[in-house]
Amino acid sequence: MAAGPAADAAPATTPVTVAGWVLDGPHGDLRVRVYEPDTEHRVAGLVWAHGGAFYRGDLDMHEADGVARYLAARGVVVVSVDYSLAPTFEGADRAPAPGAGSGRTDARFPVASREMAFAYAWATGADLGVRPDAWSIGGASAGGNLAAGASLRLRDAAAGVPGVVPTPSGAPVPPAPHSVVLAYPVTHHVLPPASDELLAALRGVAPDVSFPPPRLRAMNDNYLGHDGGPASPYAFPGGQDLRGLPPTMLVTSDRDALRAGGEAYAAELVAAGTEVVLVREEGTRHGHLNQPQHPGCGRSLVRLAAFLTGGTDDTALEPPA
């Protein structure tokens, strides 16, 4: 494994330039926001998707903007994707932000999944100072689902499967990602059983952040547009053929029902031969990258930066105490 930056020394930061783009996406206009370090030395690239239960979230939330600014200041060019959103569903805990999701709030699978893969294809071909083979893909919560599903699309496209990755006009099929980074992702259509330890950790956690099974099923079915389960392997990556995927980092929240899915997905990746770094962020609940004042958010940002800029050596992923 490649060594990363020393655990007791924070990486140097640089100023960041931010610009919005409107791409001619596979389902109409697709907005992205590009975060570039103000230096010619660009360590890596990342195409990133925020969370929001598939039906809400935007590029201004800390899980999008805060994460992107932190990583860009450490040499990672970040393309944050304003993917199309699904409709609000019965039992949803919050309304979507006005104008979020590239202006669409009626999109079902595979719209956002295809948009994520398209954004990756665009980024690898854009003149952003990062080699095509140095780009990674990632996301948080529902955005983690989109990133993981897109990693399957990109793997299959690189192997010659036609039509699974929409590309900008005239652009070649992009290379498979250098790596995948996922924060508390939605990995399975039906969540794997929680361990006794996780059930104990969830006691007292509010339903809107603990994902009781009926709410999670309603959320996932709303994304699919039906209650018959996924027909495509790209909808929910858990339980699919995961062979041939790039190194993956999973950061889970401690008191989060989705941790069961993230841990199960990590085990599936390992069984398929993928190099995996799995971190449980102690003392956190689901969505902790949206809580910039929580120490767990800062720890996770350090870990993500170390993984993207320095490889997968465990000592490089342990932030200073």
Side-chain angles (χ1 to χ4, degrees):
M1 300 182 188
D8 58 355
T13 62
T14 64
V16 174
T17 297
V18 183
W21 294 67
V22 180
L23 310 182
D24 184 13
H27 300 279
D29 287 351
L30 175 61
R31 293 196 294 259
V32 299
R33 191 178 290 172
V34 180
Y35 297 74
E36 298 183 73
D38 289 345
T39 173
E40 293 183 0
H41 180 61
R42 299 176 179 205
V43 182
L46 174 68
V47 176
W48 177 259
H50 63 78
F54 299 109
Y55 78 97
R56 56 180 168 81
D58 57 51
L59 296 185
D60 293 324
M61 58 198 293
H62 191 270
E63 197 174 71
D65 183 70
V67 170
R69 288 180 184 275
Y70 182 92
L71 295 175
R74 286 148 184 84
V76 180
V77 177
V78 180
V79 175
S80 187
V81 185
D82 194 27
Y83 56 88
S84 296
L85 301 176
T88 304
F89 61 98
E90 184 176 354
D93 59 299
R94 276 177 279 174
S102 286
R104 267 190 89 173
T105 56
D106 62 350
R108 312 281 193 174
F109 177 84
V111 173
S113 175
R114 285 167 48 82
E115 287 177 336
M116 190 67 179
F118 179 90
Y120 182 87
W122 175 82
T124 59
D127 185 16
L128 297 175
V130 179
R131 300 190 322 272
D133 62 354
W135 282 88
S136 297
I137 194 166
S141 194
N145 168 284
L146 299 179
S151 73
L152 298 184
R153 290 182 180 275
L154 292 159
R155 174 203 62 185
D156 292 349
V161 178
V164 294
V165 173
T167 59
S169 179
V173 172
H178 177 72
S179 67
V180 179
V181 289
L182 307 174
Y184 38 85
V186 180
T187 53
H188 296 73
H189 179 245
V190 176
L191 197 62
S195 65
D196 290 342
E197 176 272 327
L198 178 53
L199 290 173
L202 291 173
R203 291 185 190 128
V205 179
D208 65 334
V209 290
S210 64
F211 293 96
R215 179 175 178 268
L216 183 65
R217 182 62 179 264
M219 181 186 84
N220 289 345
D221 288 347
N222 179 63
Y223 170 57
L224 292 175
H226 57 78
D227 60 2
S232 167
Y234 308 128
F236 293 91
Q240 306 299 331
D241 179 0
L242 303 181
R243 291 174 293 179
L245 290 175
T248 299
M249 180 179 192
L250 284 109
V251 176
T252 63
S253 300
D254 187 23
R255 303 181 68 191
D256 177 13
L258 292 188
R259 173 155 66 89
E263 291 171 348
Y265 188 60
E268 293 169 13
L269 286 169
V270 170
T274 296
E275 185 177 12
V276 175
V277 174
L278 174 64
V279 177
R280 182 177 75 192
E281 206 63 82
E282 295 291 341
T284 59
R285 298 182 182 182
H286 185 81
H288 66 264
L289 289 178
N290 267 327
Q291 302 166 26
Q293 303 308 316
H294 194 291
C297 176
R299 293 195 303 267
S300 289
L301 289 174
V302 172
R303 299 184 202 277
L304 292 173
F307 182 82
L308 290 166
T309 62
T312 55
D313 181 69
D314 288 346
T315 60
L317 298 169
E318 194 62 38

